[in-house]
Amino acid sequence: MRDIRIAPSLLSADFSRLGEAIKTVEDAGVTMLHVDVMDGHFVPNITFGPIIVKAIRKLAKSDLDVHLMISDPATYLERFVEAGASYVTFHVEAIAEAGPLLARARALGVKAGIAINPETSLDVARPVLEVSDLVVMMTVHPGFGGRSFIRDAVPKIKALYDLREAEGYGFEIEVDGGVDLETAPLVARAGGDILVTGVAVFKSEDPAAAVRAIAEAARHG
C-alpha cells in the first residue's frame, strides 16, 4: 500500500486560533501543512506572506508545503525559504523557464516543485519533471478555498503517475483542490501521494476525525 499524506490547507483554518488548529491536525497524524501564498495578481486573492509563514513555522512541527500562487516567484523564493518552508512550489504558468528556479530552490536546502492548473497541458511540465521533487496537480481553479472539484483533472493525475513510473522519476504527486471523503479515493487511485484538503478538515465539527477519515478513504476507498 502506498503511503499517502494528508496536507491540511491552512487557508481554511480559523486564523484567530491558528496554533490550536495546527496542533489538532498534527495530533491526528498530519506531518505536512499546506500554505497557500496568493498575491492578488496571479490569482484574484491575497493571503499569506513570509512573515505569516515564519509565524506558522514557530507553531508547527510539520513540513510546511508553501504553494506560491504568485506572478513573480523568483523574487520571493529566498524570503519564503528563510521563513521556514520545507517545500516550495510555483506555477509553470507564472514563469518562462522553471528549471533554473527549481535548481535555485534546491540549492537553498528545500524540496522544490511545480504546480499545474487544470487547463494546462502536462507537456508544459515535461522538461522539468526529472528535477522536480513535487508536482502539484490543481483540481480546482486556484485563488480561493472551497471551490468545486474538477473531475476532468483526474485522468491527468493518472497520466502523470504513469509517466513517472515509466521514466523512473522521483517526484511526489500532490493533488490540491476539493479533496474530501468522496474525492480522496479518486485521486489516490489515480496516483496522488499528497492530498491537500482545507474546507473538509477545518470547517468540520471535528477536524482531527476528518483528517483520519479522509486518510482512511484515500488508502482504502
Side-chain angles (χ1 to χ4, degrees):
M1 184 184 301
R2 287 187 305 118
D3 181 34
I4 296 175
R5 300 173 81 181
I6 305 300
S9 172
L10 295 180
L11 184 64
S12 296
D14 182 348
F15 293 172
S16 70
R17 303 171 68 182
L18 196 54
E20 181 182 333
I22 290 171
K23 185 178 188 304
T24 295
V25 295
E26 288 187 333
D27 286 349
V30 162
T31 60
M32 174 182 279
L33 296 167
H34 190 77
V35 183
D36 288 303
V37 176
M38 306 181 192
D39 64 357
H41 187 259
F42 182 74
V43 293
N45 198 7
I46 297 173
T47 57
F48 308 107
I51 293 174
I52 302 300
V53 173
K54 187 175 182 179
I56 293 169
R57 177 70 284 164
K58 293 178 180 178
L59 296 170
K61 301 174 184 176
S62 299
D63 290 336
L64 296 187
D65 171 29
V66 177
H67 178 187
L68 301 180
M69 287 179 269
I70 63 179
S71 296
D72 189 8
T75 296
Y76 296 96
L77 172 65
E78 280 78 7
R79 298 184 208 181
F80 284 102
V81 172
E82 290 168 4
S86 310
Y87 290 71
V88 176
T89 56
F90 56 89
H91 277 257
V92 292
E93 301 89 357
I95 190 166
E97 290 188 52
L101 190 56
L102 286 167
R104 210 170 102 197
R106 296 173 86 176
L108 292 169
V110 298
K111 293 190 175 181
I114 54 171
I116 305 171
N117 282 339
E119 65 276 8
T120 300
S121 170
L122 279 181
D123 291 339
V124 177
R126 278 178 181 263
V128 293
L129 291 179
E130 189 173 3
V131 293
S132 297
D133 296 306
L134 184 66
V135 177
V136 181
M137 299 295 294
M138 298 300 299
T139 43
V140 297
H141 292 109
F144 295 90
R147 289 187 166 182
S148 297
F149 181 83
I150 299 173
R151 289 178 179 265
D152 288 348
V154 175
K156 191 191 293 187
I157 299 168
K158 181 62 165 63
L160 181 63
Y161 174 84
D162 289 343
L163 180 60
R164 180 183 72 181
E165 299 306 296
E167 299 295 337
Y169 294 144
F171 60 81
E172 295 177 281
I173 299 172
E174 179 174 291
V175 181
D176 183 1
V179 175
D180 56 20
L181 277 173
E182 178 185 353
T183 58
L186 297 177
V187 298
R189 286 196 298 267
D193 305 301
I194 301 168
L195 310 188
V196 176
T197 176
V199 170
V201 168
F202 288 119
K203 302 304 183 187
S204 68
E205 291 186 5
D206 187 341
V211 165
R212 290 190 288 265
I214 292 169
E216 182 72 10
R219 291 171 185 136
H220 302 288

